[in-house]
Amino acid sequence: MKEHLDTDEPLEKLADKLTMIGLEVENIEDQAKALAPFTIARVISAEQHPNADRLRVCMVDTGDGAAPVQVVCGAPNARTGLISVFSPPGTFIPGKNITLGVGTIRGVESRGMLCSAAELQLRKTTTASWSCLPMRLSAPAMRSGPGSAIP
């Protein structure tokens, strides 16, 4: 709503004013708050899982300056250099309706998840190529549509 109004008023106050003039506000959804725990991360290595043909063991730079994090990923596009959305343990994954924990997948520890657009509920898709959200850190990545980094 604030994209369409030139105001510094809090969203709740705007909703109250709309209600006062007779417009019903059914709910307010703060998507930025729901996505706050997720970060953009880079896969610095992606190796074949020793016990599974369709899994990769990825070392992920989460961008926080800490040591890389090991993540087991089932996305067919999981590869070195991939820029993706990372969720650490404790993060609620809305598209899966789970709170992520540290897990062991086929004998290998995973300390987070590389998320798809569907898992973040940004796009409704089951296409395997979205299992890790590919992005480029460049100006074209800010555009969407044909020929851009974001379909």
Side-chain angles (χ1 to χ4, degrees), residues 12 14 16 37 88 136 145 148:
E12 292 77 13
L14 291 174
D16 288 342
R136 286 184 225 126
S148 72

Side-chain angles (χ1 to χ4, degrees), residues 24 64 68 113 117 136:
E24 182 181 353
D64 63 2
M113 182 176 179
R136 286 184 225 126

Side-chain angles (χ1 to χ4, degrees), residues 34-41 60 62 69-72 84-94 96 98-102 110-116 119-120:
L35 297 174
F38 299 91
T39 61
I40 301 299
V60 178
T62 63
V69 175
Q70 182 170 282
V71 175
V72 176
S84 184
V85 176
F86 172 76
S87 60
T91 305
F92 178 73
I93 311 296
K96 297 268 189 194
I98 61 166
T99 299
L100 193 62
V102 174
S110 185
R111 301 191 66 78
M113 182 176 179
L114 298 174
C115 298
S116 72
E119 289 160 339
L120 299 174

Side-chain angles (χ1 to χ4, degrees), residues 107-127:
V108 176
E109 184 177 71
S110 185
R111 301 191 66 78
M113 182 176 179
L114 298 174
C115 298
S116 72
E119 289 160 339
L120 299 174
Q121 291 188 329
L122 298 176
R123 175 177 282 193
K124 298 202 184 301
T125 181
T126 57
T127 306

